[in-house]
Amino acid sequence: MKDIIYVVNTNDGEAPDWLNYTLGSIQQYSRKVDAQLDTIQDESLYHINYPLSFFKTKRSYYSLLKIHCLQKFITSEYNNCLILDRDIYIQDDAVNVFTYGKYSNPGMYSRVCRCKPLIAKTRDILDRTNTSRPKGPINRNSGMIYIDRPTAVQLCKHLPADGQWDAYVKGLKIEDLVTIGGDQPIINYARIKAKIPFRSLSKSHNVNWKRRTQSNDQFIHYPGYSGKESLLESVSG
């Protein structure tokens, strides 16, 4: 077994009904593709002294846990990894991403999305003149990341090691984070600094439930309260 799936589970002790369906589908998928499954829920990351006010929000913990996944991955025995949010439901007929031809080229695969920068979250530290819309594709929606180990090693060279935030932020330009945009700017920032080519996931992978347009969508993301309600309706119907 040379592949691993990390599930980012920031549940704060919760065990909502929908989680049985999403985690159940991920567990079934890991067995189907013969990949190791590792659930990441490091409570110590909830108490980091964040360098910016933005990173005090709960959403930022997703990014921190994904960085933790990447750091575990680069010292592991595995060749490729898939990082998933806990609110992704995998359909029974989903392809094996570890043997999927489109992902055979090294790189970091995520979603292409153009979005407005972090205006509200950074109002206290930035002038509005620095909040223009980002240009070009960014991997904003990192509910699903596929990456090989050599690429992850390069990426981690530009990410903070556990407990090393103070040293990391000294070389960090806040303006860079804001103009990159997205809800997980640290990972986006590191990818750009490491000159890792952006590669887009297949259209049927990491599909937001609101934007489903194809019957063959395979990895469906159910963010937010309304998303969870929709998931429960779909699996119970």
CSV table of all heavy atoms in Angstrom, one decimal, residues 165-195:
chain,number,residue,atom,x,y,z
A,165,TRP,N,5.5,29.2,14.1
A,165,TRP,CA,4.8,30.4,13.5
A,165,TRP,C,5.6,31.7,13.6
A,165,TRP,O,5.6,32.5,12.7
A,165,TRP,CB,3.4,30.5,14.1
A,165,TRP,CG,2.4,29.6,13.5
A,165,TRP,CD1,2.0,28.4,13.9
A,165,TRP,CD2,1.7,29.9,12.2
A,165,TRP,NE1,1.1,27.9,13.1
A,165,TRP,CE2,0.9,28.8,12.0
A,165,TRP,CE3,1.7,30.9,11.3
A,165,TRP,CZ2,0.0,28.7,10.9
A,165,TRP,CZ3,0.9,30.8,10.2
A,165,TRP,CH2,0.1,29.7,10.0
A,166,ASP,N,6.2,31.9,14.8
A,166,ASP,CA,6.9,33.2,15.0
A,166,ASP,C,8.0,33.4,14.0
A,166,ASP,O,8.1,34.5,13.4
A,166,ASP,CB,7.4,33.3,16.4
A,166,ASP,CG,6.4,33.4,17.5
A,166,ASP,OD1,5.2,33.8,17.1
A,166,ASP,OD2,6.6,33.1,18.6
A,167,ALA,N,8.8,32.4,13.7
A,167,ALA,CA,9.9,32.5,12.8
A,167,ALA,C,9.3,32.6,11.3
A,167,ALA,O,9.8,33.4,10.5
A,167,ALA,CB,10.8,31.3,12.9
A,168,TYR,N,8.2,31.9,11.1
A,168,TYR,CA,7.7,31.9,9.7
A,168,TYR,C,7.1,33.2,9.3
A,168,TYR,O,7.3,33.7,8.2
A,168,TYR,CB,6.6,30.8,9.7
A,168,TYR,CG,5.9,30.7,8.3
A,168,TYR,CD1,6.5,30.0,7.3
A,168,TYR,CD2,4.6,31.2,8.1
A,168,TYR,CE1,5.9,29.8,6.1
A,168,TYR,CE2,4.0,31.1,6.9
A,168,TYR,CZ,4.7,30.4,5.8
A,168,TYR,OH,4.1,30.2,4.6
A,169,VAL,N,6.4,33.9,10.2
A,169,VAL,CA,5.7,35.1,9.8
A,169,VAL,C,6.7,36.3,9.6
A,169,VAL,O,6.3,37.3,9.0
A,169,VAL,CB,4.6,35.5,10.8
A,169,VAL,CG1,3.5,34.5,10.9
A,169,VAL,CG2,5.2,35.8,12.2
A,170,LYS,N,7.9,36.2,10.1
A,170,LYS,CA,8.8,37.3,9.9
A,170,LYS,C,9.1,37.6,8.4
A,170,LYS,O,9.4,38.7,8.0
A,170,LYS,CB,10.1,37.0,10.6
A,170,LYS,CG,10.0,37.1,12.2
A,170,LYS,CD,11.4,36.9,12.8
A,170,LYS,CE,11.2,37.0,14.3
A,170,LYS,NZ,12.5,36.7,15.0
A,171,GLY,N,9.0,36.5,7.6
A,171,GLY,CA,9.3,36.7,6.2
A,171,GLY,C,8.0,36.7,5.4
A,171,GLY,O,8.0,36.6,4.1
A,172,LEU,N,6.9,36.8,6.1
A,172,LEU,CA,5.6,36.8,5.4
A,172,LEU,C,5.0,38.2,5.1
A,172,LEU,O,5.0,39.0,6.0
A,172,LEU,CB,4.6,36.0,6.3
A,172,LEU,CG,3.3,35.5,5.7
A,172,LEU,CD1,3.6,34.4,4.7
A,172,LEU,CD2,2.4,34.9,6.8
A,173,LYS,N,4.7,38.4,3.9
A,173,LYS,CA,4.1,39.7,3.5
A,173,LYS,C,2.6,39.5,3.5
A,173,LYS,O,2.0,38.8,2.8
A,173,LYS,CB,4.5,40.1,2.1
A,173,LYS,CG,6.0,40.4,2.0
A,173,LYS,CD,6.3,40.9,0.6
A,173,LYS,CE,7.8,41.2,0.5
A,173,LYS,NZ,8.2,41.7,-0.9
A,174,ILE,N,2.0,40.3,4.4
A,174,ILE,CA,0.5,40.3,4.6
A,174,ILE,C,-0.2,40.6,3.3
A,174,ILE,O,-1.2,40.0,2.9
A,174,ILE,CB,0.1,41.2,5.7
A,174,ILE,CG1,0.8,41.0,7.0
A,174,ILE,CG2,-1.4,41.0,5.9
A,174,ILE,CD1,0.8,39.6,7.4
A,175,GLU,N,0.4,41.5,2.5
A,175,GLU,CA,-0.2,41.9,1.2
A,175,GLU,C,-0.3,40.7,0.3
A,175,GLU,O,-1.2,40.6,-0.5
A,175,GLU,CB,0.6,43.1,0.6
A,175,GLU,CG,0.5,44.4,1.4
A,175,GLU,CD,1.5,44.5,2.5
A,175,GLU,OE1,2.2,43.5,2.7
A,175,GLU,OE2,1.6,45.5,3.2
A,176,ASP,N,0.7,39.9,0.3
A,176,ASP,CA,0.7,38.7,-0.5
A,176,ASP,C,-0.4,37.8,-0.2
A,176,ASP,O,-1.1,37.3,-1.1
A,176,ASP,CB,2.0,37.9,-0.4
A,176,ASP,CG,3.2,38.6,-1.0
A,176,ASP,OD1,3.0,39.5,-1.8
A,176,ASP,OD2,4.3,38.3,-0.7
A,177,LEU,N,-0.7,37.6,1.1
A,177,LEU,CA,-1.8,36.7,1.5
A,177,LEU,C,-3.2,37.3,1.0
A,177,LEU,O,-4.0,36.6,0.5
A,177,LEU,CB,-1.9,36.6,3.0
A,177,LEU,CG,-0.7,35.8,3.6
A,177,LEU,CD1,-0.9,35.7,5.1
A,177,LEU,CD2,-0.6,34.4,3.1
A,178,VAL,N,-3.3,38.6,1.1
A,178,VAL,CA,-4.6,39.2,0.8
A,178,VAL,C,-4.9,39.2,-0.7
A,178,VAL,O,-6.0,38.8,-1.2
A,178,VAL,CB,-4.7,40.6,1.3
A,178,VAL,CG1,-6.0,41.3,0.9
A,178,VAL,CG2,-4.6,40.6,2.8
A,179,THR,N,-3.9,39.5,-1.5
A,179,THR,CA,-4.1,39.5,-3.0
A,179,THR,C,-4.2,38.1,-3.5
A,179,THR,O,-4.8,37.9,-4.6
A,179,THR,CB,-2.9,40.2,-3.7
A,179,THR,OG1,-1.7,39.7,-3.3
A,179,THR,CG2,-2.9,41.7,-3.3
A,180,ILE,N,-3.7,37.1,-2.8
A,180,ILE,CA,-3.9,35.7,-3.3
A,180,ILE,C,-5.4,35.4,-3.1
A,180,ILE,O,-6.0,34.8,-3.9
A,180,ILE,CB,-3.0,34.7,-2.5
A,180,ILE,CG1,-1.6,34.9,-2.9
A,180,ILE,CG2,-3.5,33.3,-2.7
A,180,ILE,CD1,-0.6,34.1,-2.1
A,181,GLY,N,-5.9,35.8,-1.9
A,181,GLY,CA,-7.3,35.6,-1.7
A,181,GLY,C,-7.6,34.2,-1.2
A,181,GLY,O,-6.6,33.4,-1.0
A,182,GLY,N,-8.8,33.8,-1.1
A,182,GLY,CA,-9.2,32.5,-0.7
A,182,GLY,C,-9.3,32.3,0.8
A,182,GLY,O,-8.9,33.2,1.6
A,183,ASP,N,-9.8,31.2,1.2
A,183,ASP,CA,-10.0,31.0,2.7
A,183,ASP,C,-8.9,30.2,3.3
A,183,ASP,O,-8.9,30.0,4.5
A,183,ASP,CB,-11.4,30.3,2.9
A,183,ASP,CG,-11.4,28.9,2.3
A,183,ASP,OD1,-10.4,28.5,1.7
A,183,ASP,OD2,-12.5,28.3,2.3
A,184,GLN,N,-7.9,29.8,2.5
A,184,GLN,CA,-6.7,29.1,3.0
A,184,GLN,C,-5.5,29.7,2.4
A,184,GLN,O,-4.8,29.0,1.7
A,184,GLN,CB,-6.9,27.6,2.8
A,184,GLN,CG,-8.0,27.0,3.6
A,184,GLN,CD,-8.3,25.6,3.3
A,184,GLN,OE1,-7.6,24.7,3.9
A,184,GLN,NE2,-9.2,25.3,2.4
A,185,PRO,N,-5.2,31.0,2.6
A,185,PRO,CA,-4.1,31.6,1.9
A,185,PRO,C,-2.7,31.1,2.2
A,185,PRO,O,-1.8,31.2,1.3
A,185,PRO,CB,-4.2,33.1,2.3
A,185,PRO,CG,-4.9,33.0,3.7
A,185,PRO,CD,-5.8,31.9,3.6
A,186,ILE,N,-2.4,30.6,3.3
A,186,ILE,CA,-1.1,30.1,3.6
A,186,ILE,C,-0.7,29.0,2.7
A,186,ILE,O,0.5,29.0,2.1
A,186,ILE,CB,-1.0,29.6,5.1
A,186,ILE,CG1,-1.1,30.7,6.1
A,186,ILE,CG2,0.3,28.8,5.3
A,186,ILE,CD1,0.1,31.6,6.1
A,187,ILE,N,-1.5,28.0,2.4
A,187,ILE,CA,-1.2,27.0,1.5
A,187,ILE,C,-1.0,27.5,0.0
A,187,ILE,O,-0.1,27.1,-0.7
A,187,ILE,CB,-2.2,25.8,1.5
A,187,ILE,CG1,-2.2,25.2,2.9
A,187,ILE,CG2,-2.0,24.8,0.4
A,187,ILE,CD1,-3.3,24.1,3.1
A,188,ASN,N,-1.9,28.4,-0.3
A,188,ASN,CA,-1.8,29.1,-1.7
A,188,ASN,C,-0.5,29.8,-1.8
A,188,ASN,O,0.2,29.8,-2.8
A,188,ASN,CB,-2.9,30.0,-1.9
A,188,ASN,CG,-4.3,29.3,-2.0
A,188,ASN,OD1,-4.3,28.2,-2.4
A,188,ASN,ND2,-5.3,30.0,-1.6
A,189,TYR,N,-0.1,30.6,-0.7
A,189,TYR,CA,1.1,31.3,-0.7
A,189,TYR,C,2.3,30.5,-0.9
A,189,TYR,O,3.2,30.7,-1.6
A,189,TYR,CB,1.1,32.1,0.6
A,189,TYR,CG,2.4,32.9,0.9
A,189,TYR,CD1,2.5,34.2,0.3
A,189,TYR,CD2,3.4,32.5,1.7
A,189,TYR,CE1,3.7,35.0,0.5
A,189,TYR,CE2,4.5,33.2,2.0
A,189,TYR,CZ,4.6,34.5,1.4
A,189,TYR,OH,5.8,35.2,1.6
A,190,ALA,N,2.3,29.3,-0.1
A,190,ALA,CA,3.5,28.4,-0.2
A,190,ALA,C,3.6,27.8,-1.6
A,190,ALA,O,4.7,27.6,-2.0
A,190,ALA,CB,3.3,27.3,0.9
A,191,ARG,N,2.5,27.5,-2.2
A,191,ARG,CA,2.6,26.9,-3.5
A,191,ARG,C,3.2,27.8,-4.5
A,191,ARG,O,4.0,27.4,-5.3
A,191,ARG,CB,1.2,26.5,-4.0
A,191,ARG,CG,1.2,25.8,-5.4
A,191,ARG,CD,-0.2,25.6,-5.9
A,191,ARG,NE,-0.9,26.8,-6.1
A,191,ARG,CZ,-0.7,27.6,-7.2
A,191,ARG,NH1,0.2,27.3,-8.1
A,191,ARG,NH2,-1.4,28.7,-7.3
A,192,ILE,N,2.8,29.1,-4.4
A,192,ILE,CA,3.4,30.1,-5.3
A,192,ILE,C,4.9,30.3,-5.0
A,192,ILE,O,5.7,30.4,-6.0
A,192,ILE,CB,2.6,31.4,-5.2
A,192,ILE,CG1,1.2,31.2,-5.8
A,192,ILE,CG2,3.3,32.5,-5.9
A,192,ILE,CD1,0.2,32.3,-5.5
A,193,LYS,N,5.2,30.4,-3.8
A,193,LYS,CA,6.6,30.6,-3.4
A,193,LYS,C,7.5,29.4,-3.8
A,193,LYS,O,8.7,29.6,-4.2
A,193,LYS,CB,6.8,30.8,-1.9
A,193,LYS,CG,6.1,32.1,-1.4
A,193,LYS,CD,6.8,33.3,-1.8
A,193,LYS,CE,8.1,33.6,-1.1
A,193,LYS,NZ,8.8,34.8,-1.4
A,194,ALA,N,7.0,28.2,-3.8
A,194,ALA,CA,7.7,27.0,-4.2
A,194,ALA,C,7.7,26.8,-5.7
A,194,ALA,O,8.3,25.9,-6.1
A,194,ALA,CB,7.1,25.8,-3.5
A,195,LYS,N,7.0,27.7,-6.4
A,195,LYS,CA,6.9,27.6,-7.9
A,195,LYS,C,6.4,26.2,-8.3
A,195,LYS,O,6.8,25.6,-9.3
A,195,LYS,CB,8.2,27.9,-8.5
A,195,LYS,CG,8.7,29.3,-8.2
A,195,LYS,CD,10.1,29.6,-8.9
A,195,LYS,CE,10.5,31.0,-8.6
A,195,LYS,NZ,11.8,31.3,-9.3
